[in-house]
Amino acid sequence: MSLAATRNDVTAYISASACAMHEMGKGHPECPERLAAIQDRLMAAGLWDTLMHVESEPATYEQLARVHDREYLDKLALMSPLHGYVHLDPDTAINSFSLRAAYHAAGAGISAVDMMMRGQIHNAFCAVRPPGHHAEHARAMGFCLFNNVAVAAAHAMAEYGLTRVAVVDFDVHHGNGTEDIFCKDERVLMTGWFQHPFFPYCGDVPRGENMKNVPKPRATTGPDFRAMVSEHWLPALHDFKPQLIVVSAGFDAHREDDMSSMGLVESDYAWVTQEIVKVADEHAQGRVVSMLEGGYDLSSLARSVAVHVKELAGL
């Protein structure tokens, strides 16, 4: 059977063993246990064996340099410790394995794009860490070193000539890094939402006409979230007609996650995934690369990822 013939049946689960080696100290919410919790839940839900499991290759320096300043990349390499931790900001630290993990995390999105464009898979969920959407062109912040979704989007445009890539960000925090990188790039549409006022305390004033990010007050729940998506995101996405959708999939707006003060539940994440898939099916040959961002309560994170992956896989 040809790869193209199996395309519509395959959702890839892309990760890397290196991602579990990065950690930022005892008690840090962005911890290796997040990936273990996701794997356990996918197994318990009967989803694990339905997915194509792929170990990501690391991104190359040149692939990262499409979206990040070379001096920044070099500085990170010089700061990487042999032992212990180096803090890049009050919330973000690296250990001796962190850069390796970050290169593999960014590489997962590249692997997903390559496999999709070759017809090997229909879509993908990248279970990676460190996350990426706060990483700006020349700055690490908010637990993020490299902007994984930006690297994937830039790869699709550079290697496959795509001219319309949409980034959908449903993390509870504004993806300031993605905005910083793409705010002047008309080939990219970013649609997002975020609790406001809240870290990183920006995003309410868009930096480009291609930035469609919607601030929402604390205690926003599912009905308001769905109305926002229907009124703001979906019209913009349909007008843009993306050839690829890259998702910053953060699950920290869940009502059980004390990292925020929002009220989403699993059914909301299932619904928004359904809507993303519909847009991708209509305009992008179904191409969706979803990359893990936030989500720090292990139980709600794992349950939310499971429904997200189930919808991506059409199960």
Side-chain angles (χ1 to χ4, degrees):
M1 186 177 293
S2 70
L3 290 173
T6 62
R7 175 190 177 107
N8 289 343
D9 295 328
V10 178
T11 292
Y13 182 90
I14 305 178
S15 192
S17 56
C19 291
M21 302 296 289
H22 162 64
E23 52 88 22
M24 294 185 280
K26 185 176 181 181
H28 199 290
E30 207 295 280
C31 59
E33 289 79 11
R34 298 175 67 228
L35 298 185
I38 290 170
Q39 179 174 330
D40 288 348
R41 183 65 186 182
L42 291 175
M43 287 179 171
L47 296 170
W48 187 254
D49 291 336
T50 70
L51 306 171
M52 176 190 289
H53 296 275
V54 178
E55 178 84 4
S56 76
E57 295 293 327
T60 68
Y61 182 95
E62 294 301 323
Q63 288 166 338
L64 294 176
R66 290 176 179 144
V67 301
H68 288 297
D69 181 78
R70 291 174 182 270
E71 290 185 7
Y72 166 68
L73 297 176
D74 295 342
K75 180 180 178 181
L76 276 183
L78 290 172
M79 294 178 69
S80 183
L82 293 176
H83 307 285
Y85 307 97
V86 169
H87 276 82
L88 306 178
D89 70 19
D91 302 314
T92 311
I94 54 175
N95 68 2
S96 59
F97 300 101
S98 295
L99 280 191
R100 180 182 173 192
Y103 268 83
H104 277 274
I110 291 170
S111 297
V113 169
D114 286 342
M115 294 180 75
M116 263 190 299
M117 298 305 294
R118 294 167 186 162
Q120 295 170 283
I121 60 173
H122 184 53
N123 55 33
F125 177 73
C126 301
V128 294
R129 49 182 301 279
H133 74 152
H134 294 308
E136 297 183 345
H137 175 66
R139 179 169 65 151
M141 64 181 293
F143 313 161
C144 303
L145 304 185
F146 304 142
N147 195 305
N148 302 323
V149 295
V151 171
H155 180 71
M157 293 186 290
E159 295 297 324
Y160 299 99
L162 299 191
T163 57
R164 298 186 308 279
V165 177
V167 176
V168 177
D169 189 329
F170 56 72
D171 192 278
V172 78
H173 304 92
H174 173 52
N176 60 290
T178 310
E179 182 174 41
D180 177 64
I181 291 166
F182 288 134
C183 64
K184 304 302 181 185
D185 192 334
E186 295 181 353
R187 300 173 299 170
V188 177
L189 170 72
M190 181 182 182
T191 61
W193 84 311
F194 52 96
Q195 181 177 325
H196 180 74
F198 200 41
F199 180 88
Y201 304 102
C202 60
D204 52 316
V205 178
R207 295 176 57 185
E209 294 183 359
N210 59 332
M211 297 288 116
K212 308 296 182 182
N213 298 303
V214 183
K216 298 294 286 185
R218 60 179 296 158
T220 296
T221 56
D224 285 338
F225 170 75
R226 297 186 191 205
M228 180 275 301
V229 170
S230 298
E231 294 169 14
H232 296 279
W233 291 9
L234 297 182
L237 288 166
H238 283 297
D239 286 346
F240 186 65
K241 297 179 175 59
Q243 298 161 308
L244 167 69
I245 299 176
V246 187
V247 181
S248 274
F251 301 92
D252 39 6
H254 196 285
R255 67 184 181 188
E256 295 175 18
D257 197 314
D258 62 9
M259 187 67 78
S260 71
S261 302
M262 295 302 220
L264 300 195
V265 295
E266 291 93 312
S267 60
D268 299 312
Y269 291 115
W271 177 84
V272 75
T273 307
Q274 291 169 7
E275 296 303 312
I276 292 168
V277 167
K278 288 177 186 176
V279 175
D281 285 344
E282 182 170 346
H283 301 293
Q285 300 181 43
R287 298 173 184 143
V288 178
V289 177
S290 177
M291 307 200 73
L292 180 64
E293 299 283 4
Y296 305 100
D297 174 79
L298 297 183
S299 178
S300 62
L301 167 65
R303 301 193 316 266
S304 299
V305 170
V307 299
H308 177 62
V309 170
K310 184 176 181 180
E311 295 299 335
L312 287 176
L315 299 174

